[in-house]
Amino acid sequence: MCGIIGYSGYRACLHVLLEGLEKLEYRGYDSAGVAVLAAEGIQARKAQGRLSALEKLLETSPLPAADCGIGHTRWATHGAPSDRNSHPHCTPHLAVVHNGIVENYAALRTELKRQGVEFITETDTEVLAQLLESCYQRTGEPLAALQAMAARVEGSYGLAVLFCDRPGQVYLARRHSPLIVGYGEKECFVASDIPALLPYTKEYAVLDEEEMALLDHGRVEVYDPQGRPVEKEHLTAQLPAQAADKGSWPHFMLKEIFEQPQVLQDTLSTYVADDLPNLAPALPDKLLQNLGTVHLVGCGTAMHACMVGKTAIESLARVPAQVEVASEFRYRDPILLPGDLVVTVSQSGETSDTLAALQLAKERGIPTLAIVNVPGSSLARAADMVLYTQAGPEIAVASTKAYSVQLAVLYLIAIRMAWARKALPDARCRQLTRALCAIPAMQQPLLGKAEEMKMAAQALQNASDLFFVGRGMDYSLSLEGSLKLKEISYIHSEAYAAGELKHGTISLVTDGTPIVALATQSAVYEKTLSNVKEARARGARVLLLCSQNAPVPDALADEVVRLPQCEELLTPLLTILPLQLLAYYASVLRGCDVDRPRNLAKSVTVE
Ligand code: M6R
């Protein structure tokens, strides 16, 4: 979603701002803007559309040289995408960029209007800027103004502000929306996300809830909500600067699909020792031994990973597990009992609904575990226990490699749970762990099927609707395959438990309707094939994914993609690759913006 960058230092800041915004593009946005504080005062430029539109505007309407400034990519929430609604929002004394949502903006707007303030947009951020302006006029001091503003605002904000009479300085405030300060030599930075800092520094600190900060060339001062100085722990980003670069790949998504064997290997080697999952101290055996129900919570792809996790936990450890859509869980007053564990799964660690679900569990006194990819993210900081996936930065909006490593960690938890509770013999747990560690090598040849999947994508690129079907874990994979295809190719598809099709939806199957059938589980293989035959009899065009040795009757499918034989419970780590490639090529063939699909944001920080 929206991205923030800010700079105070010795460089011409515009270059730093634009470079930072480019690194934040992956979050998803529909307009961009910058403001600098120069001798002439604050000046801003903003433009709807891609960053290139802003760059073009800056050519015809250049900004003066300045040593401090702020920049923003906006993903519209209040008010349509437009030049005017873009950030920064400027008032007589300041300019603001804002991530988050002001929930009481309507009441504040009415109040400010009564005081004579004129608004030129419908945005909540303009209200925030005007509120801060009025606080600044009253207090005459930036931090006091931010404190006064905080007392009036309901909602979330990551804020970077220029005050016209504070040369060289950028002020920050955080509530439920991440801000990271970066430390350099005689310069400092702020960003909503680490990749924006990487071209300049790896040393950073994460602002905590309600903290404020001042950036002034090499000086970073952080304050608690009462305005008392706070010492921040300096962290070092482990990512190489080029980790978020596309290199020679045509798209981030393809790069990330192909990175899966490596990141899976990295994740497994972090958590496996002596042929067993080694999750302590993060996740102690004592907790696993005394579990009631495991609640697995996430959104989108992460929630689909939870579905596979549920099957693994229940079948290996025989512990009841429930999958919860975070946005539902948080409002449905879930039954959480002593002994339960809430596991939140998220790539970004910033998904608002998932964070709220975690918060709910904490309020109920239930232990929380986060499986998360971004170190220092809000979810990682809020959870009682954290297991990091090792996917590295995932830039494409469509989640691919993060899903694989989420599955890996969930499998490890299931195996460790089975071992700690003696639900399975020690030898079987070690055998499963070894089988899991063998998967990265099995993924490699599957990636070699890229051409095959491109041809399969050609066959369905003009479809208006299609189905993904499967039973058991294959149903979970169907949901993920369908989501991937929809979000980046805009082809409508539905995922169905194969046995459900005949209960209504088969009425939509006519001559040539494409069906992607997943049949990797031997226990339900024949059943799934029967369902495929039912669709086939109505003219469906079938792409079948099944294991290497599965017998496929003649004329059942138009194309068959064979997956290497592995421990059946682990097949999702193989099945997912052709599905991701199918979606990728469908998107490319249809000329879509693969990495930045319309309307979507990489991390969804609003509810
Ligand atoms: O960062 P998170 O894993 O919490 O994000 C959750 C979803 O927003 C995300 O998986 C989304 O569904 C992806 N665009 C799917 O590819």
Side-chain angles (χ1 to χ4, degrees):
M1 293 205 142
C2 306
I4 287 179
I5 180 78
Y7 176 77
S8 166
Y10 59 87
R11 301 175 203 255
C13 73
L14 188 59
H15 176 74
V16 182
L17 299 179
L18 291 174
E19 191 172 14
L21 291 182
E22 191 198 316
K23 299 282 177 218
L24 295 171
E25 278 194 294
Y26 78 97
R27 291 169 68 98
Y29 70 106
D30 40 51
S31 55
V34 286
V36 299
L37 176 48
E40 299 86 334
I42 294 175
Q43 292 201 27
R45 301 287 182 271
K46 35 201 207 171
Q48 184 188 344
R50 296 288 187 214
L51 210 46
S52 52
L54 175 66
E55 283 164 347
K56 216 166 179 177
L57 174 67
L58 285 163
E59 277 168 26
T60 52
S61 178
L63 282 172
D67 63 355
C68 81
I70 53 180
H72 192 258
T73 45
R74 173 176 188 251
W75 188 83
T77 55
H78 297 61
S82 70
D83 292 353
R84 198 155 46 171
N85 287 343
S86 313
H87 302 204
H89 285 273
C90 299
T91 66
H93 293 96
L94 52 92
V96 168
V97 292
H98 167 222
N99 283 3
I101 287 187
V102 180
E103 284 162 8
N104 60 338
Y105 83 104
L108 290 170
R109 188 182 162 99
T110 309
E111 181 185 319
L112 287 162
K113 267 179 136 174
R114 250 189 254 122
Q115 293 165 15
V117 175
E118 282 179 20
F119 288 92
I120 53 169
T121 77
E122 295 303 313
T123 64
D124 58 337
T125 301
E126 191 189 8
V127 174
L128 195 74
Q130 290 291 0
L131 175 66
L132 187 59
E133 168 74 30
S134 93
C135 295
Y136 191 55
Q137 286 184 20
R138 215 173 51 245
T139 60
E141 204 283 318
L143 290 169
L146 284 167
Q147 272 175 310
M149 178 212 76
R152 301 296 322 280
V153 171
E154 288 164 21
S156 56
Y157 52 78
L159 278 187
V161 190
L162 300 176
F163 290 88
C164 65
D165 47 4
R166 304 287 161 156
Q169 299 184 343
V170 180
Y171 286 83
L172 315 173
R174 172 196 171 146
R175 177 183 289 169
H176 305 319
S177 185
L179 281 182
I180 294 153
V181 292
Y183 301 89
E185 268 296 310
K186 300 199 176 112
E187 61 183 348
C188 42
F189 309 80
V190 61
S192 46
D193 219 345
I194 290 177
L197 304 177
L198 288 179
Y200 297 98
T201 182
K202 288 188 163 194
E203 198 182 341
Y204 71 98
V206 184
L207 289 194
D208 282 306
E209 280 306 300
E210 303 290 341
E211 281 182 346
M212 298 169 292
L214 156 66
L215 308 185
D216 188 356
H217 298 85
R219 185 164 64 103
V220 177
E221 287 174 8
V222 180
Y223 303 92
D224 72 7
Q226 285 70 43
R228 295 174 297 221
V230 176
E231 277 298 319
K232 296 300 289 184
E233 183 190 356
H234 287 215
L235 305 166
T236 307
Q238 300 302 332
L239 305 168
Q242 66 279 17
D245 285 345
K246 201 160 59 182
S248 56
W249 292 89
H251 298 101
F252 276 109
M253 183 179 176
L254 193 62
K255 171 177 183 260
E256 288 161 6
I257 291 173
F258 274 77
E259 279 172 356
Q260 283 175 109
Q262 186 58 55
V263 298
L264 189 57
Q265 176 73 57
D266 295 345
T267 302
L268 291 169
S269 50
T270 306
Y271 293 119
V272 172
D274 197 15
D275 284 348
L276 273 181
N278 180 16
L279 306 176
L283 188 58
D285 285 340
K286 208 169 171 52
L287 188 136
L288 298 178
Q289 281 156 354
N290 299 306
L291 276 180
T293 299
V294 181
H295 304 263
L296 298 154
V297 190
C299 301
T301 290
M303 190 274 288
H304 295 157
C306 291
M307 292 178 72
V308 175
K310 169 190 162 77
T311 307
I313 289 170
E314 291 192 335
S315 65
L316 298 181
R318 307 305 295 163
V319 171
Q322 288 186 13
V323 175
E324 307 270 4
V325 176
S327 54
E328 293 292 317
F329 181 77
R330 62 184 293 191
Y331 291 119
R332 74 169 184 81
D333 191 12
I335 298 172
L336 297 172
L337 300 173
D340 286 1
L341 172 68
V342 169
V343 181
T344 50
V345 181
S346 172
Q347 187 283 127
S348 62
E350 302 297 346
T351 302
S352 161
D353 288 317
T354 311
L355 266 166
L358 181 114
Q359 226 55 58
L360 174 81
K362 288 184 81 168
E363 280 159 23
R364 302 271 188 94
I366 303 297
T368 53
L369 166 70
I371 299 175
V372 65
N373 194 45
V374 178
S377 57
S378 302
L379 201 67
R381 293 153 72 82
D384 301 315
M385 300 162 274
V386 185
L387 291 172
Y388 282 111
T389 49
Q390 308 289 336
E394 190 183 64
I395 305 296
V397 163
S399 190
T400 54
K401 59 178 179 170
Y403 173 79
S404 283
V405 290
Q406 285 162 355
L407 291 194
V409 171
L410 287 161
Y411 281 127
L412 290 171
I413 292 172
I415 299 169
R416 185 75 196 193
M417 213 182 267
W419 184 85
R421 299 166 69 92
K422 300 197 181 349
L424 289 176
D426 174 88
R428 175 68 180 139
C429 293
R430 289 177 197 272
Q431 185 188 36
L432 280 164
T433 311
R434 281 194 299 272
L436 186 56
C437 292
I439 295 284
M442 300 172 103
Q443 282 189 332
Q444 208 66 59
L446 261 180
L447 292 170
K449 290 188 185 281
E451 271 307 308
E452 207 177 312
M453 296 321 295
K454 191 172 179 180
M455 278 157 67
Q458 263 158 8
L460 55 76
Q461 64 168 313
N462 296 320
S464 54
D465 293 285
L466 63 101
F467 292 96
F468 286 79
V469 297
R471 286 172 181 253
M473 284 199 301
D474 283 336
Y475 171 50
S476 311
L477 270 285
S478 297
L479 285 164
E480 176 56 10
S482 170
L483 172 65
K484 215 85 311 175
L485 185 77
K486 276 182 282 212
E487 69 178 327
I488 58 169
S489 77
Y490 317 143
I491 302 175
H492 173 251
S493 73
E494 286 193 50
Y496 261 82
E500 267 295 289
L501 209 56
K502 60 184 175 294
H503 293 287
T505 319
I506 201 163
S507 66
L508 295 175
V509 176
T510 56
D511 218 14
T513 304
I515 292 200
V516 181
L518 313 184
T520 70
Q521 304 296 301
S522 55
V524 286
Y525 182 69
E526 292 300 336
K527 303 285 171 204
T528 307
L529 287 202
S530 299
N531 302 136
V532 175
K533 281 178 196 157
E534 289 153 13
R536 187 76 169 161
R538 276 126 192 119
R541 192 177 194 291
V542 176
L543 167 63
L544 178 73
L545 273 69
C546 61
S547 65
Q548 198 62 55
N549 307 328
V552 178
D554 285 347
L556 181 94
D558 297 276
E559 290 119 32
V560 180
V561 175
R562 299 277 185 178
L563 303 168
Q565 211 73 37
C566 74
E567 184 76 55
E568 248 181 38
L569 190 73
L570 307 178
T571 325
L573 283 166
L574 302 177
T575 318
I576 190 57
L577 299 184
L579 295 178
Q580 293 168 346
L581 287 167
L582 183 71
Y584 170 76
Y585 285 114
S587 177
V588 172
L589 289 165
R590 287 165 64 92
C592 303
D593 190 343
V594 177
D595 288 334
R596 291 173 302 190
R598 70 183 177 212
N599 303 341
L600 293 181
K602 181 63 182 165
S603 81
V604 183
T605 50
V606 296
E607 25 176 322

